[in-house]
Amino acid sequence: MKKVAVILSGCGVYDGAEIHEAVLCLLHLARNGARYQCFAPDQPQHHVIDHRTGEEIGERRNVLTEAARIARGDIQPLSELNADDFDALLLPGGFGAAKNLCNFAFEGDACDVNHEVLAACRAFAKARKPAGYCCIAPVLMPRVYPAGVKGTIGTDAAVAEAFAAMGGEHIGCAVTDVVEDAHYQVISTPAYMLAQSITEADTGIGKLVKRLLEM
Protein backbone atom coordinates (compact mmCIF):
# COMPACT_ATOMS: atom_id res chain seq x y z
CA MET A 1 0.00 0.00 0.00
CA LYS A 2 1.44 3.35 -1.07
CA LYS A 3 1.89 5.99 1.64
CA VAL A 4 1.60 9.67 0.72
CA ALA A 5 2.57 12.77 2.71
CA VAL A 6 0.11 15.65 2.28
CA ILE A 7 1.19 19.20 3.17
CA LEU A 8 -1.64 21.54 4.15
CA SER A 9 -1.37 25.32 4.54
CA GLY A 10 -4.21 26.06 6.94
CA CYS A 11 -7.97 25.84 6.43
CA GLY A 12 -9.87 28.03 4.00
CA VAL A 13 -9.30 29.14 0.43
CA TYR A 14 -8.39 32.78 1.15
CA ASP A 15 -5.91 32.26 3.96
CA GLY A 16 -5.14 28.54 4.09
CA ALA A 17 -5.62 25.28 2.21
CA GLU A 18 -8.53 25.13 -0.25
CA ILE A 19 -10.89 22.80 1.56
CA HIS A 20 -12.51 21.21 -1.50
CA GLU A 21 -9.11 20.52 -3.04
CA ALA A 22 -7.68 19.10 0.17
CA VAL A 23 -10.65 16.80 0.75
CA LEU A 24 -10.68 15.66 -2.88
CA CYS A 25 -6.97 14.84 -2.66
CA LEU A 26 -7.52 12.75 0.47
CA LEU A 27 -10.60 11.07 -1.00
CA HIS A 28 -8.85 10.08 -4.23
CA LEU A 29 -5.84 8.79 -2.33
CA ALA A 30 -8.11 6.56 -0.24
CA ARG A 31 -10.15 5.41 -3.23
CA ASN A 32 -6.95 4.42 -5.01
CA GLY A 33 -5.86 2.30 -2.07
CA ALA A 34 -3.21 4.64 -0.65
CA ARG A 35 -2.59 5.66 2.94
CA TYR A 36 -1.84 9.29 3.75
CA GLN A 37 -0.54 11.43 6.58
CA CYS A 38 -1.20 15.16 6.76
CA PHE A 39 1.43 17.70 7.81
CA ALA A 40 1.51 21.48 8.19
CA PRO A 41 4.00 24.08 9.41
CA ASP A 42 3.62 24.89 13.10
CA GLN A 43 3.63 28.66 12.64
CA PRO A 44 1.29 31.67 12.64
CA GLN A 45 -0.61 32.04 9.37
CA HIS A 46 0.00 35.26 7.47
CA HIS A 47 -3.42 36.69 8.24
CA VAL A 48 -7.03 35.69 8.79
CA ILE A 49 -9.75 36.35 6.22
CA ASP A 50 -13.50 36.47 6.86
CA HIS A 51 -14.62 34.09 4.11
CA ARG A 52 -18.08 35.68 3.97
CA THR A 53 -16.78 39.15 3.12
CA GLY A 54 -13.24 38.57 1.88
CA GLU A 55 -11.99 41.12 4.40
CA GLU A 56 -9.03 40.65 6.74
CA ILE A 57 -9.93 40.40 10.42
CA GLY A 58 -7.75 41.06 13.44
CA GLU A 59 -7.13 37.53 14.63
CA ARG A 60 -4.04 35.36 14.92
CA ARG A 61 -4.26 31.69 13.97
CA ASN A 62 -1.79 28.85 13.66
CA VAL A 63 -1.35 27.01 10.34
CA LEU A 64 -1.02 23.58 11.97
CA THR A 65 -4.00 24.13 14.27
CA GLU A 66 -6.21 25.30 11.41
CA ALA A 67 -5.10 22.50 9.06
CA ALA A 68 -6.03 19.99 11.77
CA ARG A 69 -9.68 20.86 11.04
CA ILE A 70 -9.36 19.30 7.58
CA ALA A 71 -7.36 16.33 8.83
CA ARG A 72 -9.87 15.64 11.63
CA GLY A 73 -7.03 16.09 14.10
CA ASP A 74 -4.76 13.46 12.54
CA ILE A 75 -1.92 15.78 11.56
CA GLN A 76 1.74 16.25 12.42
CA PRO A 77 4.08 19.26 12.40
CA LEU A 78 5.90 19.57 9.11
CA SER A 79 9.20 19.41 11.00
CA GLU A 80 8.46 15.71 11.63
CA LEU A 81 8.05 14.78 7.96
CA ASN A 82 10.70 12.31 6.84
CA ALA A 83 10.63 11.60 3.11
CA ASP A 84 12.11 8.15 3.73
CA ASP A 85 8.81 7.10 5.33
CA PHE A 86 6.67 7.93 2.27
CA ASP A 87 6.30 6.97 -1.38
CA ALA A 88 5.02 10.32 -2.66
CA LEU A 89 4.17 13.92 -1.74
CA LEU A 90 0.98 15.89 -2.43
CA LEU A 91 0.19 19.59 -1.93
CA PRO A 92 -3.35 20.93 -2.36
CA GLY A 93 -3.72 24.60 -3.22
CA GLY A 94 -5.51 27.56 -1.71
CA PHE A 95 -4.04 31.00 -1.00
CA GLY A 96 -2.35 29.52 2.07
CA ALA A 97 0.12 27.83 -0.28
CA ALA A 98 1.11 31.28 -1.56
CA LYS A 99 0.87 33.05 1.82
CA ASN A 100 1.93 30.52 4.46
CA LEU A 101 4.09 27.97 2.61
CA CYS A 102 5.83 30.77 0.72
CA ASN A 103 5.27 34.48 0.11
CA PHE A 104 4.47 34.32 -3.60
CA ALA A 105 1.18 36.17 -3.02
CA PHE A 106 3.17 39.24 -1.99
CA GLU A 107 6.56 38.91 -3.68
CA GLY A 108 5.76 37.12 -6.95
CA ASP A 109 8.79 35.65 -8.68
CA ALA A 110 11.06 37.08 -5.95
CA CYS A 111 9.34 34.89 -3.36
CA ASP A 112 10.97 32.86 -0.62
CA VAL A 113 9.73 29.45 0.52
CA ASN A 114 9.30 28.50 4.17
CA HIS A 115 12.49 26.62 5.08
CA GLU A 116 10.64 23.56 6.41
CA VAL A 117 8.46 23.41 3.30
CA LEU A 118 11.46 23.76 1.02
CA ALA A 119 13.43 21.10 2.88
CA ALA A 120 10.53 18.64 2.79
CA CYS A 121 9.76 19.14 -0.90
CA ARG A 122 13.42 18.98 -1.89
CA ALA A 123 13.85 15.75 0.07
CA PHE A 124 11.24 14.06 -2.12
CA ALA A 125 12.78 15.57 -5.25
CA LYS A 126 16.29 14.45 -4.29
CA ALA A 127 15.02 10.93 -3.61
CA ARG A 128 13.26 11.00 -7.01
CA LYS A 129 9.95 10.25 -5.32
CA PRO A 130 6.86 11.52 -7.18
CA ALA A 131 5.13 14.70 -6.07
CA GLY A 132 1.84 16.37 -6.99
CA TYR A 133 1.04 20.09 -6.77
CA CYS A 134 -2.49 21.52 -7.16
CA CYS A 135 -3.88 24.96 -7.97
CA ILE A 136 -1.43 27.73 -6.93
CA ALA A 137 0.92 25.30 -5.12
CA PRO A 138 2.94 24.68 -8.35
CA VAL A 139 4.57 28.11 -7.86
CA LEU A 140 6.75 26.27 -5.33
CA MET A 141 8.09 23.92 -8.00
CA PRO A 142 10.74 26.22 -9.56
CA ARG A 143 12.22 26.69 -6.07
CA VAL A 144 12.22 22.94 -5.41
CA TYR A 145 13.44 21.52 -8.74
CA PRO A 146 16.22 22.55 -11.14
CA ALA A 147 15.61 25.09 -13.90
CA GLY A 148 13.31 23.88 -16.64
CA VAL A 149 10.90 21.88 -14.49
CA LYS A 150 7.55 21.64 -16.26
CA GLY A 151 4.35 22.56 -14.43
CA THR A 152 1.03 24.35 -14.68
CA ILE A 153 -1.25 26.69 -12.81
CA GLY A 154 -3.71 26.66 -15.72
CA THR A 155 -3.87 29.69 -18.00
CA ASP A 156 -3.30 32.76 -15.78
CA ALA A 157 -0.76 34.80 -17.77
CA ALA A 158 0.74 36.71 -14.84
CA VAL A 159 1.33 33.62 -12.70
CA ALA A 160 2.63 31.71 -15.73
CA GLU A 161 5.14 34.50 -16.38
CA ALA A 162 6.26 34.42 -12.75
CA PHE A 163 6.64 30.62 -12.94
CA ALA A 164 8.89 31.06 -15.97
CA ALA A 165 10.83 33.92 -14.35
CA MET A 166 11.67 31.61 -11.45
CA GLY A 167 13.14 29.10 -13.89
CA GLY A 168 10.22 26.77 -14.58
CA GLU A 169 8.65 25.92 -17.91
CA HIS A 170 4.95 26.70 -17.67
CA ILE A 171 2.56 24.57 -19.74
CA GLY A 172 -0.98 25.83 -20.29
CA CYS A 173 -3.53 23.30 -19.10
CA ALA A 174 -7.29 22.80 -18.93
CA VAL A 175 -8.90 22.43 -15.53
CA THR A 176 -9.69 18.77 -16.16
CA ASP A 177 -6.14 17.81 -17.14
CA VAL A 178 -2.64 17.54 -15.68
CA VAL A 179 0.93 18.38 -16.68
CA GLU A 180 3.59 15.80 -15.92
CA ASP A 181 7.34 16.29 -15.86
CA ALA A 182 8.51 12.71 -16.25
CA HIS A 183 12.16 13.62 -15.72
CA TYR A 184 11.60 15.12 -12.27
CA GLN A 185 8.65 12.88 -11.36
CA VAL A 186 6.34 15.81 -10.60
CA ILE A 187 2.77 16.43 -11.74
CA SER A 188 0.45 19.44 -11.44
CA THR A 189 -3.15 20.42 -12.16
CA PRO A 190 -4.97 23.80 -12.19
CA ALA A 191 -7.86 22.83 -9.87
CA TYR A 192 -9.51 26.03 -8.56
CA MET A 193 -7.15 28.27 -10.50
CA LEU A 194 -9.66 27.49 -13.27
CA ALA A 195 -12.43 25.34 -11.82
CA GLN A 196 -15.95 26.76 -11.82
CA SER A 197 -17.35 23.87 -9.80
CA ILE A 198 -16.23 21.13 -7.47
CA THR A 199 -16.83 18.58 -10.21
CA GLU A 200 -14.34 20.32 -12.52
CA ALA A 201 -11.76 20.42 -9.74
CA ASP A 202 -12.48 16.78 -8.99
CA THR A 203 -11.68 15.61 -12.51
CA GLY A 204 -8.19 17.11 -12.62
CA ILE A 205 -7.35 16.16 -9.05
CA GLY A 206 -8.55 12.61 -9.68
CA LYS A 207 -6.24 12.31 -12.68
CA LEU A 208 -3.33 13.78 -10.71
CA VAL A 209 -3.72 11.39 -7.78
CA LYS A 210 -4.11 8.34 -10.02
CA ARG A 211 -1.03 9.22 -11.98
CA LEU A 212 0.93 10.16 -8.84
CA LEU A 213 0.39 6.68 -7.44
CA GLU A 214 1.30 5.09 -10.78
CA MET A 215 4.55 7.06 -10.85
Side-chain angles (χ1 to χ4, degrees):
M1 180 179 288
K2 302 290 194 305
K3 189 174 182 182
V4 180
V6 179
I7 298 179
L8 300 176
S9 57
C11 180
V13 57
Y14 299 128
D15 56 17
E18 212 296 321
I19 297 171
H20 290 178
E21 290 180 11
V23 172
L24 288 171
C25 284
L26 301 182
L27 178 62
H28 281 288
L29 286 171
R31 281 183 170 168
N32 282 275
R35 296 167 56 203
Y36 59 80
Q37 176 63 56
C38 294
F39 296 87
D42 186 2
Q43 66 181 40
Q45 64 184 50
H46 176 77
H47 58 196
V48 180
I49 300 295
D50 183 333
H51 280 61
R52 297 174 302 164
T53 65
E55 299 295 324
E56 183 177 352
I57 56 179
E59 294 183 12
R60 297 288 287 171
R61 299 185 185 179
N62 179 279
V63 176
L64 177 61
T65 301
E66 292 300 294
R69 297 175 181 271
I70 297 174
R72 295 174 59 85
D74 185 9
I75 195 166
Q76 297 177 11
L78 184 57
S79 59
E80 297 181 9
L81 173 54
N82 184 343
D84 292 340
D85 297 333
F86 295 89
D87 300 296
L89 175 69
L90 181 55
L91 285 81
F95 277 105
K99 294 177 178 180
N100 301 326
L101 303 188
C102 69
N103 58 3
F104 179 85
F106 315 107
E107 301 297 333
D109 59 43
C111 71
D112 294 314
V113 181
N114 170 289
H115 70 280
E116 288 183 352
V117 175
L118 189 60
C121 293
R122 282 183 173 172
F124 281 86
K126 183 178 180 179
R128 295 196 60 78
K129 292 185 175 183
Y133 292 75
C134 302
C135 190
I136 193 65
V139 298
L140 298 167
M141 289 167 51
R143 293 287 189 254
V144 173
Y145 295 89
V149 62
K150 297 179 176 65
T152 191
I153 46 77
T155 57
D156 184 287
V159 181
E161 288 176 7
F163 188 95
M166 289 190 287
E169 180 182 345
H170 184 267
I171 310 294
C173 180
V175 64
T176 55
D177 211 347
V178 300
V179 168
E180 178 182 338
D181 189 318
H183 180 71
Y184 293 117
Q185 295 276 67
V186 62
I187 187 168
S188 48
T189 190
Y192 274 104
M193 287 295 288
L194 290 177
Q196 298 299 307
S197 67
I198 192 170
T199 54
E200 287 188 349
D202 177 66
T203 301
I205 289 172
K207 288 181 180 179
L208 181 144
V209 170
K210 184 176 185 294
R211 182 62 186 136
L212 180 70
L213 296 176
E214 291 172 348
M215 293 162 68

